[in-house]
Amino acid sequence: MKSRKGAKYERIKDQLIPLFEKVEDPVSRMASAVALLKNKFSYFYWVGFYRFFRNRLVVGPYQGTLACMELEKDTGVCWHGINTGQSVIVPDVDKFPGHIACDSKPKSEVVVPVRDKTGNIVAILDVDSKEYDSFDDDDKVGLELIADLIYKEL
Ligand code: SME
């Protein structure tokens, strides 16, 4: 049985698919995904993507307060997700060694790797909340659904 939140992510996915069928550009898809996610979840303080560009992890489409332009290699939550190839839920950012704070407000965070058609990690989807412990497995699974659409042939 799907939770209410799980069903909400499914509806977001269903809303994005017809849009993504029209445009294959991953940056356009990222921009549309963050716009929808930011508006649908009141506890999403910042939502966006970091992408590899010339071997550096730089900010991509996002909604929220001004973000760090680049994340220092092998540091923080996003790089942890990239290096392990796994989504990461962080209930308290202050307890995560090396967490990068672009802004003092975020208290909890979730990141989900984004893979291209060949399975390589090319970006990471990152969501921050101003409350502790905002993200659970439904968010992780739901955000993975969205991340998997970015490079998908539809
Ligand atoms: N906290 C992230 C950096 C990006 S911001 O959350 C927008 C990290 O530690 O990788």
Side-chain angles (χ1 to χ4, degrees), residues 46 50 67-68 71 75-79 98-102 106 109 126 128:
W46 190 96
Y50 278 86
C68 312
L71 300 178
T75 307
V77 184
C78 291
W79 271 102
H99 168 261
I100 300 170
C102 305
E109 177 164 5
D126 181 5
D128 291 337

Side-chain angles (χ1 to χ4, degrees), residues 46-48 50 57 59 62 65-68 70-72 75-81 90 93 96-103 106 108-111 124 126-128:
W46 190 96
V47 49
Y50 278 86
L57 191 61
V59 77
Y62 69 96
T65 50
L66 187 67
C68 312
E70 179 180 5
L71 300 178
E72 189 189 330
T75 307
V77 184
C78 291
W79 271 102
H80 185 70
V90 181
V93 295
F96 192 94
H99 168 261
I100 300 170
C102 305
D103 172 323
S108 58
E109 177 164 5
V110 57
V111 303
I124 191 129
D126 181 5
V127 187
D128 291 337

